[in-house]
Amino acid sequence: MLETEGEREGRGEGNSMAAKTIFFFLSALLLIFLYLALGTIDLRSQFFPDAVPALRLSTCTSRPLRVFMYDLPRRFNVGMIRRSDPDQDIPWTSPTLPPWPHNSGLKKQHSVEYWMMASLLGGANDADEEPAAARVLDPESADVFFVPFFSSLSFNTHGHNMTDPETEVDRKLQADVLRILSESKYWQQAGGRDHVIPMHHPNAFRFLRDGVNASILIVADFGRYPKSLSSLQKDIVAPYVHVVESFTDDDAPDPFNSRPSLLFFRGRTIRKDGGRIRSKLVKILAGHEGVHFEQGVASEEGIRTSTKGMRSSKFCLHPAGDTPSSCRLFDAIVSHCVPVIVSDLIELPYEDVLDYRNFSLFFSVKEALQPNYLLQELNKISKERWTEMWRQLKEISHHFEFQYPLKKDDAVNMLWKEVRHKVPAVKLAMHRSARLKIEDWWRR
């Protein structure tokens, strides 16, 4: 039977509708596939442009890290700043901590514990975004637990010569902290793995470290820690709190030529362990043109001299101290003086974010002790390359500022972000150990 013209038009319209239906169906399938594969496609915006954008998967981790802070009595923290405080057995609850004392000298460089505690008390925040961590009062909702024991200040305050009778006060504080933690069900249920404990001074918590070896430790380096206690896998390297003032108005039109000295170092040259390289370097470098290699101590006058020297030098030498690191590196960074790092075992803060090669130079101990090698290499650095490293230092130096109120991506916020990176591995370890019925076969 022959089709009429109307029947042919109807069949054509039907085919057209079927093709359109198939096209839209395939398009929808493609969008769903992309959404599942990439996790960032906002489907509602594709079909409803005026709708409020859908929550992207990537924002699910944008909330601050939830931190429960133990209410330790003041004798464990700010009571060491105000030793005449009559309420030493009462926790500090005010949002405003006593200011860090200006006359604290080298104690300041290990005051990371103070600034981390301050960040959790609340009451002030100048950050352009939410802080990286926020205190929660319900421990059941916490991601991690912060132990506000100023172990570095305890060492420096209570017999830091290790022979004074007051050293026993430091030992007792450590024992009391361990007792409080051992009685906490949150410590018990995780074996302390999700607890954050500042231990920045190399001698901090030195009597009873084994009792906290499962926790996330905030350290300066690993120079005095056995591998069984501390490692990059679970712990966090924090910068020293710089002692010199930050160079906030470093805006010379020709920064290379505005710094007449080639290389600057000022500090103690008689050191232990890896720091013995200092006495060898002084024999190699002292007396060369453009090099200032001086013996000095961290007095107020010494700090002023170091500030001036770093700001007028292109490169600042950072040899190991008694341990692989020292405050000098971070003084150089905030002075925008390109660090020259000579320390074979050094570990650096935020190295998952920062590539230190962009603004620092590294030499092995063997290289640095070759006569003339170090100075020859520094003299090969072109003005253009040095200026770029100087520019990079200016861009990243805010990551090394400890302050309150907090500011975006300052040192404390960066440290809490580093803590957050440890949480998945902590949860994995907690969940596995809770369900294992026999010895962990990975360790057999």
Side-chain angles (χ1 to χ4, degrees):
M1 181 183 293
L2 297 176
E3 286 184 324
T4 65
E5 183 175 346
E7 289 173 331
R8 284 196 301 271
E9 291 176 356
R11 184 163 56 84
E13 290 176 0
N15 291 338
S16 176
M17 288 296 295
K20 291 180 179 179
T21 300
I22 293 171
F23 173 78
F24 282 114
F25 177 75
L26 293 176
S27 298
L29 283 178
L30 178 60
L31 285 171
I32 292 172
F33 170 78
L34 289 173
Y35 175 79
L36 293 175
L38 302 178
T40 57
I41 302 299
D42 183 356
L43 289 178
R44 287 203 301 166
S45 66
Q46 306 300 318
F47 299 102
F48 306 99
D50 296 329
V52 177
L55 178 66
R56 296 186 174 190
L57 292 182
S58 60
T59 64
C60 293
T61 59
S62 63
R63 64 166 176 77
L65 182 74
R66 294 173 298 203
V67 184
F68 178 83
M69 182 167 66
Y70 281 86
D71 289 330
L72 294 185
R74 301 179 197 187
R75 60 191 173 94
F76 291 100
N77 40 67
V78 298
M80 286 180 270
I81 299 175
R82 290 182 171 180
R83 299 187 70 180
S84 61
D85 190 335
D87 298 322
Q88 292 283 48
D89 290 327
I90 300 175
W92 186 271
T93 57
S94 170
T96 305
L97 280 175
W100 185 263
H102 291 293
N103 60 347
S104 60
L106 284 179
K107 293 180 183 179
K108 179 182 178 182
Q109 63 183 335
H110 297 298
S111 61
V112 174
E113 54 207 9
Y114 170 90
W115 302 104
M116 292 187 76
M117 181 178 175
S119 72
L120 296 176
L121 286 174
N125 178 28
D126 281 351
D128 295 336
E129 58 184 19
E130 283 189 298
R135 185 184 184 187
V136 294
L137 300 181
D138 178 10
E140 296 291 343
S141 67
D143 298 311
V144 294
F145 296 79
F146 181 71
V147 182
F149 171 41
F150 291 1
S151 59
S152 296
L153 186 57
S154 180
F155 169 74
N156 278 319
T157 301
H158 302 301
H160 67 275
N161 290 324
M162 301 191 193
T163 57
D164 299 356
E166 245 197 304
T167 298
E168 288 303 311
V169 177
D170 186 24
R171 183 193 294 272
K172 187 176 187 307
L173 286 174
Q174 294 170 42
D176 288 347
V177 166
L178 282 177
R179 176 183 54 77
I180 292 169
L181 292 175
S182 66
E183 294 172 355
S184 164
K185 79 170 189 176
Y186 301 102
W187 176 272
Q188 296 169 11
Q189 69 187 12
R193 291 185 184 92
D194 54 358
H195 283 54
V196 180
I197 303 179
M199 206 179 290
H200 198 258
H201 193 287
N203 291 320
F205 224 121
R206 70 189 188 278
F207 295 118
L208 300 171
R209 284 178 182 171
D210 289 347
V212 295
N213 63 357
S215 300
I216 301 170
L217 307 180
I218 309 297
V219 301
D221 58 38
F222 300 102
R224 292 187 183 168
Y225 299 85
K227 293 181 180 179
S228 60
L229 172 67
S230 193
S231 68
L232 276 176
Q233 182 178 1
K234 73 176 187 66
D235 299 323
I236 293 165
V237 177
Y240 289 62
V241 181
H242 60 84
V243 176
V244 305
E245 293 294 324
S246 300
F247 198 177
T248 56
D249 56 348
D250 185 11
D251 52 4
D254 186 358
F256 185 83
N257 288 319
S258 71
R259 294 173 177 252
S261 296
L262 177 67
L263 181 65
F264 179 83
F265 172 86
R266 191 177 191 280
R268 292 181 176 176
T269 56
I270 306 301
R271 298 274 79 178
K272 297 177 290 186
D273 303 323
R276 290 191 178 95
I277 188 179
R278 295 187 181 186
S279 60
K280 298 176 182 179
L281 285 173
V282 70
K283 296 175 183 177
I284 295 173
L285 298 173
H288 283 269
E289 184 179 357
V291 175
H292 290 269
F293 201 116
E294 306 170 3
Q295 168 75 18
V297 296
S299 62
E300 288 190 18
E301 178 60 32
I303 291 173
R304 284 194 292 269
T305 301
S306 293
T307 300
K308 182 179 179 181
M310 288 185 171
R311 293 184 181 186
S312 60
S313 301
K314 298 177 178 67
F315 300 99
C316 285
L317 184 64
H318 173 69
D322 288 344
T323 60
S325 64
S326 79
C327 186
R328 189 167 289 96
L329 169 60
F330 308 100
D331 286 344
I333 288 174
V334 299
S335 301
H336 311 147
C337 180
V338 174
V340 177
I341 299 173
V342 182
S343 180
D344 292 340
L345 302 178
I346 194 170
E347 296 294 345
L348 299 164
Y350 328 134
E351 206 164 4
D352 56 337
V353 176
L354 300 179
D355 186 347
Y356 281 74
R357 297 172 301 172
N358 292 332
F359 51 84
S360 305
L361 298 173
F362 292 85
F363 295 90
S364 69
V365 170
K366 182 178 179 180
E367 289 173 330
L369 293 180
Q370 295 179 33
N372 300 321
Y373 178 80
L374 193 61
L375 294 181
Q376 287 174 357
E377 292 300 306
L378 296 183
N379 281 308
K380 289 179 184 177
I381 304 296
S382 67
K383 177 179 180 179
E384 291 72 23
R385 184 184 174 194
W386 182 90
T387 303
E388 176 58 22
M389 298 176 85
W390 169 83
R391 186 187 65 79
Q392 290 275 349
L393 282 168
K394 291 184 66 176
E395 288 188 1
I396 59 89
S397 61
H398 67 286
H399 294 318
F400 300 90
E401 298 291 352
F402 287 88
Q403 57 207 341
Y404 187 75
L406 300 176
K407 293 185 179 179
K408 182 178 180 181
D409 288 338
D410 66 3
V412 175
N413 269 318
M414 291 289 283
L415 286 177
W416 283 122
K417 289 179 181 180
E418 294 291 297
V419 172
R420 183 176 202 136
H421 295 166
K422 304 294 184 182
V423 171
V426 167
K427 298 299 183 186
L428 171 63
M430 289 170 55
H431 296 162
R432 285 191 74 251
S433 63
R435 56 90 174 166
L436 286 175
K437 299 297 184 181
I438 60 173
E439 180 185 359
D440 193 341
W441 59 275
W442 283 98
R443 297 185 179 181
R444 288 183 179 178

